[in-house]
Amino acid sequence: MPSVEDIIEEALRIATPSQDEVKVINDTAAEVISILEGKVRELGLEAEVTLQGSVAHGTWLPGDRDIDIFLIFPRNDKYITLVKSGELVRNLASAFSEIGISWVMNYAQHPYLTLMYNGFNIDVVPCIRIKLGEKPVTAADRTPLHTLYLKSKLSGLEGDVRLLKLMMKSINVYGAEVKVQGFSGYLTELITLAYGGFMNVLKAASKWVPFKVKITLETPGQGNFNAPLVVIDPVDPSRNAAAAVSLDSMATFIAASKHFLRKPSMAFFTSGTQSPTASLTLPTPTLVMYGEYPKGYVEDIVWGQLRRIASTIWSTVSNSGFKPVDMGLYTPQDKYIVVMLTVEEPELPEYEVHVGPPVWSSEADVFIEKYINVSNIVGPFIRDGRWFVIRPRRTRSIKDAVIKELKTVRSSVVKDSLLKGKIIILNNTAQVNELPVELRNIALTFMSKKPHWLV
């Protein structure tokens, strides 16, 4: 059996880019920075064009095709208006079109561009220059301060950060976007810095208790943070750098840290599935609902709608008498929107017990009058001081319950896609062949329940 040292050495080899890859990404970043500096001059703007993010920090993973370049503008009314209105980004977009560079306009707190250049996705983000301790005008304004802070502190820990990122990607908790609700790249860097290395992070995380962890690298936080994990941003003490981390993401990382320390394995650094036998009959069935991924929408918007609809579906299923067990949300290859829901039973009995008001309530007479002469009602009868009836169930099928509720959800592209899509019940793993090819392994992994790293 390989030692933990052997496993970490192998994982670090996987997590470290080759010299050729480093050269390509650095050369590409330098080329785009040079182009941007020229366009800034042509447009008569005053800005510092800088490399930011994991490439600037030296903590990016092999195969990462994302580069962050920030345009830092002076803090004055002219540039604040240009940045927040989007006029500046639109002018840059036109300039890129003139020289044949493809781009997409995205939106966070204000518009920014994503360029497609040399096989990379390059985010071009305008921001306003701020000093340490100065209130940011936009959320992006902190990023250059993050880079300055990390470059002054992180030297020698880059490999540890890469190991942590690789592990978090493998266990599906890496990324602060709505889709993941996990650990951002900046957060992994701060945690590594706070504990002094990869193994120290795992040892600390194995003892974390949600809502009781607060990590401070510099100035104590200003204010109360009601979040599972609190990591005070060293460049802005009023901000929790871990605000995006959900309870489940934190719990998954705690569990994985504990398990790795007990049984170290390369499974924590590689993507994998735990697929059950193809003909296995499941003890609990799974509802699968899927439709086409809506094109032309920012991922966070799609996932925001998907999570809200999923919450509504869970509540509806629970309130309708079904017993939900687990839910999974997926957007494989940005081709489908998928909701998977494991339930104890997909069909309910024909009749249900309906609880009425207390006998002494003013509503009692109304309840009796409603049911007393209805032919298919059993009762009314009294139990524990209340009126009850046994009545036909309005919705017996979980499919019907979900579709009925989905139709009442306010208009959204996710709702429209799911209603136009398909919904099926999987009672055994062989039935995954009824799904599109892109969804079959996802469904098998979801139905198996056990994380691939839990070996």
Side-chain angles (χ1 to χ4, degrees), residues 6-81:
D6 292 337
I7 290 167
I8 288 177
E9 182 180 350
E10 174 62 14
L12 188 58
R13 184 190 65 77
I14 296 171
T16 305
S18 67
Q19 290 184 351
D20 288 344
E21 195 172 0
V22 170
K23 184 177 187 308
V24 169
I25 202 167
N26 287 339
D27 288 351
T28 300
E31 287 174 23
V32 175
I33 287 173
S34 178
I35 293 169
L36 274 166
E37 288 173 335
K39 293 304 173 186
V40 165
R41 287 193 297 270
E42 288 177 17
L43 293 169
L45 301 171
E46 181 184 349
E48 180 185 1
V49 184
T50 64
L51 181 64
Q52 303 290 334
S54 60
V55 176
H57 308 160
T59 59
W60 53 280
L61 293 174
D64 189 348
R65 310 303 290 177
D66 297 321
I67 300 173
D68 299 322
I69 296 176
F70 277 52
L71 283 68
I72 310 174
F73 292 94
R75 184 169 185 151
N76 60 44
D77 291 342
K78 170 189 172 182
Y79 285 111
I80 290 173
T81 300

Side-chain angles (χ1 to χ4, degrees), residues 286-338:
T286 293
L287 175 144
V288 181
M289 191 174 196
Y290 64 95
E292 289 186 7
Y293 189 95
K295 303 301 180 186
Y297 289 87
V298 177
E299 182 182 69
D300 276 1
I301 290 176
V302 173
W303 269 88
Q305 292 183 5
L306 181 56
R307 287 196 180 279
R308 286 191 292 273
I309 284 175
S311 178
T312 299
I313 289 173
W314 183 279
S315 297
T316 297
V317 168
S318 299
N319 295 336
S320 298
F322 301 94
K323 295 180 179 178
V325 176
D326 188 24
M327 177 175 273
L329 308 176
Y330 308 92
T331 52
Q333 303 166 29
D334 289 347
K335 186 174 180 180
Y336 295 99
I337 291 174
V338 187

Side-chain angles (χ1 to χ4, degrees), residues 174-400:
Y174 182 69
E177 60 271 23
V178 178
K179 177 180 180 179
V180 180
Q181 296 183 330
F183 296 73
S184 69
Y186 179 54
L187 180 57
T188 63
E189 291 158 342
L190 291 182
I191 292 173
T192 303
L193 187 58
Y195 291 113
F198 172 72
M199 286 298 293
N200 288 340
V201 170
L202 299 194
K203 290 172 184 176
S206 69
K207 300 175 183 176
W208 283 353
V209 177
F211 298 99
K212 294 186 178 181
V213 181
K214 183 177 181 180
I215 299 171
T216 302
L217 288 92
E218 302 291 339
T219 306
Q222 300 170 358
N224 295 319
F225 301 97
N226 183 25
L229 176 64
V230 176
V231 179
I232 303 302
D233 190 334
V235 308
D236 184 354
S238 67
R239 175 176 179 263
N240 176 16
V245 179
S246 69
L247 177 59
D248 277 354
S249 288
M250 184 179 181
T252 298
F253 183 57
I254 293 171
S257 297
K258 287 182 176 182
H259 201 66
F260 180 86
L261 293 173
R262 284 197 301 264
K263 298 179 66 176
S265 162
M266 280 304 296
F268 290 91
F269 302 102
T270 55
S271 298
T273 60
Q274 283 282 353
S275 299
T277 306
S279 59
L280 179 66
T281 298
L282 301 172
T284 51
T286 293
L287 175 144
V288 181
M289 191 174 196
Y290 64 95
E292 289 186 7
Y293 189 95
K295 303 301 180 186
Y297 289 87
V298 177
E299 182 182 69
D300 276 1
I301 290 176
V302 173
W303 269 88
Q305 292 183 5
L306 181 56
R307 287 196 180 279
R308 286 191 292 273
I309 284 175
S311 178
T312 299
I313 289 173
W314 183 279
S315 297
T316 297
V317 168
S318 299
N319 295 336
S320 298
F322 301 94
K323 295 180 179 178
V325 176
D326 188 24
M327 177 175 273
L329 308 176
Y330 308 92
T331 52
Q333 303 166 29
D334 289 347
K335 186 174 180 180
Y336 295 99
I337 291 174
V338 187
V339 177
M340 296 188 184
L341 181 67
T342 300
V343 292
E344 289 189 6
E345 293 290 344
E347 294 283 338
L348 296 176
E350 183 178 354
Y351 286 86
E352 66 177 353
V353 175
H354 176 54
V355 183
V359 169
W360 51 88
S361 166
S362 60
E363 302 297 321
D365 289 344
V366 175
F367 184 83
I368 292 169
E369 287 299 319
K370 180 177 180 180
Y371 291 110
I372 192 169
N373 291 317
V374 180
S375 60
N376 60 352
I377 294 291
V378 177
F381 59 94
I382 298 170
R383 192 181 72 206
D384 296 329
R386 305 186 74 99
W387 286 109
F388 284 77
V389 294
I390 301 173
R391 66 183 184 182
R393 195 180 296 275
R394 291 180 181 178
T395 305
R396 296 182 60 193
S397 163
I398 193 171
K399 283 187 185 181
D400 294 341

